[in-house]
Amino acid sequence: MKVIQQTFTLLTLRERPVGIWMLSSFTAVLGLLVFISSNWPIDFFGLFCIVCANLMMFGSPVKSCRFDKHLNRVILKQKGWLGTQVTGYSIDKITGVQVEESNLGGIRFYRLSLTLLSGQRFYLTPIPSTDWELQQSLASYIQQFLSH
């Protein structure tokens, strides 16, 4: 996720999962080549690669987050191949910004989350990242914006 726009009343963050899209494209091409050039049962591996590529492409939308002090809203927007999903929350109901850590196979992953007064938590970064510094800098941008 990157900071796209920052003013005193507006903060816009956006994440484009370009790495997943590139991996998906490579998997689709590999699957297509295996499917076309092979016979049974190897061609099923090619078909499997194509199906996985489609799932990766459809499952990785562009996600944007807009903090607007004029509207007193945080607007989360996910735009993918299957449509656009928009949710909003009041800025006044945000109680915390955290970088959450998880461990998988000895590798540490980090996700940026917002906590509401109700205790509900939602993630700004849909895909966990290994870049702790990036997640921390995003959290500090948001905390500075909310405190002013």
Side-chain angles (χ1 to χ4, degrees):
M1 199 163 250
K2 294 181 188 177
V3 175
I4 301 298
Q5 180 180 19
Q6 183 178 13
T7 65
F8 289 115
T9 59
L10 189 67
L11 176 65
T12 305
L13 309 170
R14 183 180 302 146
E15 181 170 37
R16 293 178 180 265
V18 176
I20 293 175
W21 295 342
M22 289 173 35
L23 179 63
S24 172
S25 298
F26 173 75
T27 305
V29 169
L30 176 69
L32 185 63
L33 291 174
V34 169
F35 186 77
I36 290 173
S37 64
S38 301
N39 294 326
W40 186 87
I42 297 173
D43 61 347
F44 283 113
F45 175 71
L47 185 61
F48 175 74
C49 287
I50 293 170
V51 168
C52 287
N54 284 328
L55 291 175
M56 283 189 284
M57 187 64 78
F58 288 124
S60 54
V62 173
K63 188 167 187 177
S64 63
C65 180
R66 183 180 189 127
F67 293 84
D68 191 337
K69 286 187 178 178
H70 284 302
L71 299 175
N72 191 31
R73 300 292 288 171
V74 176
I75 300 166
L76 300 167
K77 184 176 170 182
Q78 288 186 353
K79 185 176 181 182
W81 291 82
L82 302 175
T84 302
Q85 181 182 20
V86 179
T87 55
Y89 301 97
S90 174
I91 287 179
D92 295 338
K93 295 188 179 187
I94 296 174
T95 60
V97 180
Q98 295 92 16
V99 176
E100 296 183 5
E101 179 181 326
S102 60
N103 195 348
L104 180 64
I107 301 172
R108 292 183 182 172
F109 292 96
Y110 306 96
R111 292 178 82 178
L112 185 60
S113 69
L114 296 180
T115 306
L116 302 177
L117 282 173
S118 65
Q120 180 184 4
R121 180 174 292 165
F122 60 93
Y123 294 101
L124 294 180
T125 50
I127 301 168
S129 170
T130 57
D131 191 351
W132 179 81
E133 290 177 8
L134 174 65
Q135 301 299 323
Q136 280 297 122
S137 74
L138 289 172
S140 69
Y141 273 118
I142 294 169
Q143 287 171 343
Q144 287 174 3
F145 178 80
L146 294 176
S147 67
H148 291 297

